[in-house]
């Protein structure tokens, strides 16, 4: 089944403890992206990647890192999480923008 | 830079009534337009998209949307809603030359009442 897989689905952590949210797609898509969803703000792009080793900042990149060493994987790294990063995170991929993105099921992160 | 405004944060409607969810966008270049639906505790699913050509596009679950370039709008409509349509709906825009960056509106929560 064609899909984007994120792990974990739920995560509670403490301020300052480094964490990684994994994202993997099995559709051979070139473009991948991370979004965070907050009530009333819709989805805001954190980082995106146009291909292996090619990444760029979205609208809200502060406090996040990404890497794209393989085409299928696009992990999101929070080196020192803070409570304002408590949010619902989505990974998405597409072969090209006009096709629309396929989204993962989301990761609900709580930083205390 | 592109931006999207969804004019209603919540839309209550009775079952079998028609509904329109409004979306306006701002961009200085040509765009692709999308509507996504998010059911509770799930990811986003593509409802429909406008790329070019006919301004009326049909999507899944009986939804359709009309692109109006002069009003920079892309409103979503359904002639008769069901309880199962209760969800959050997001309008999104992607500029042709923006490297596939997708910008979302704030979302509209559709609440269908029996």
């Amino acid at each position: 089944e064609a899909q984007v897989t994120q792990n974990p689905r739920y995560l509670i952590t403490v301020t300052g403890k480094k964490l990684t949210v994994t994202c993997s797609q099995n559709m051979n898509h070139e473009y991948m992206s991370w979004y965070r969803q907050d009530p009333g703000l819709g989805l805001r792009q954190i980082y995106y990647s146009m291909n292996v080793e090619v990444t760029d900042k979205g609208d809200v990149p502060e406090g996040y890192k990404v890497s794209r060493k393989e085409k299928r994987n696009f992990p999101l790294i929070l080196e020192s999480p803070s409570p304002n990063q408590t949010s619902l995170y989505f990974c998405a991929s597409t072969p090209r923008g006009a096709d629309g993105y396929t989204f993962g099921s989301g990761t609900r992160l709580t930083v205390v | 830079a592109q931006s999207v405004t969804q004019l209603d944060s919540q839309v209550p409607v009775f079952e079998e009534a028609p509904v329109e969810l409004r979306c306006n966008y701002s961009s200085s270049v040509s765009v692709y337009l999308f509507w996504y639906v998010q059911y509770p505790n799930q990811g986003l699913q593509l409802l429909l998209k406008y790329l070019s050509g006919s301004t009326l596009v049909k999507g899944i679950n009986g939804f359709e949307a009309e692109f109006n370039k002069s009003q920079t709008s892309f409103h979503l409509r359904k002639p008769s809603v069901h309880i199962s349509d209760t969800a959050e709906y997001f309008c999104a825009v992607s500029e042709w030359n923006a490297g596939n960056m997708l910008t979302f509106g704030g979302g509209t929560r559709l609440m269908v009442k029996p």
Side-chain angles (χ1 to χ4, degrees):
Chain A
E1 179 188 355
Q3 59 186 358
V4 176
T5 304
Q6 293 177 233
N7 281 297
R9 289 292 308 275
Y10 301 91
L11 178 59
I12 301 174
T13 190
V14 296
T15 298
K17 186 177 181 181
K18 181 179 179 178
L19 67 91
T20 299
V21 183
T22 64
C23 174
S24 181
Q25 51 96 0
N26 62 0
M27 297 165 283
N28 202 37
H29 288 171
E30 288 190 350
Y31 302 93
M32 298 186 74
S33 188
W34 276 103
Y35 290 87
R36 61 177 287 173
Q37 182 180 7
D38 301 289
L41 298 177
L43 283 82
R44 294 176 294 168
Q45 192 174 51
I46 303 170
Y47 269 94
Y48 64 96
S49 170
M50 290 182 281
N51 213 326
V52 175
E53 302 291 2
V54 181
T55 63
D56 206 350
K57 297 176 181 178
D59 294 322
V60 288
E62 293 77 20
Y64 304 95
K65 283 177 58 177
V66 293
S67 69
R68 188 95 180 272
K69 295 185 172 64
E70 307 165 279
K71 197 171 188 178
R72 63 182 293 128
N73 295 324
F74 190 43
L76 180 69
I77 303 156
L78 284 72
E79 298 243 338
S80 184
S82 62
N84 65 11
Q85 293 178 297
T86 292
S87 188
L88 180 57
Y89 291 86
F90 287 102
C91 181
S93 72
T94 183
R96 61 179 188 135
D99 292 335
Y101 276 82
T102 299
F103 282 80
S105 298
T107 296
R108 186 167 294 281
L109 172 65
T110 302
V111 184
V112 298
Chain B
Q2 59 200 31
S3 66
V4 181
T5 302
Q6 292 183 242
L7 297 161
D8 305 295
S9 60
Q10 293 187 55
V11 173
V13 63
F14 287 105
E15 194 173 20
E16 297 184 6
V19 69
E20 178 179 83
L21 306 184
R22 298 179 293 169
C23 171
N24 286 90
Y25 70 93
S26 173
S27 174
S28 57
V29 299
S30 297
V31 296
Y32 303 132
L33 293 157
F34 305 86
W35 275 99
Y36 286 85
V37 60
Q38 184 181 31
Y39 298 105
N41 300 312
Q42 294 187 27
L44 279 75
Q45 179 182 0
L46 183 65
L47 262 183
L48 50 78
K49 61 184 177 184
Y50 171 80
L51 305 182
S52 63
S54 174
T55 58
L56 184 64
V57 293
K58 295 187 183 299
I60 61 172
N61 301 339
F63 283 93
E64 62 181 32
E66 184 156 21
F67 170 58
N68 187 316
K69 188 174 182 179
S70 63
Q71 297 186 3
T72 59
S73 67
F74 190 54
H75 300 333
L76 181 70
R77 302 186 184 102
K78 187 169 183 179
S80 175
V81 295
H82 302 129
I83 295 286
S84 59
D85 292 323
T86 295
E88 186 138 24
Y89 292 79
F90 292 95
C91 182
V93 62
S94 176
E95 292 180 338
W96 286 14
N97 62 353
N100 300 295
M101 183 172 176
L102 195 60
T103 299
F104 285 85
T108 297
R109 185 168 299 278
L110 176 64
M111 298 173 293
V112 182
K113 298 181 285 187

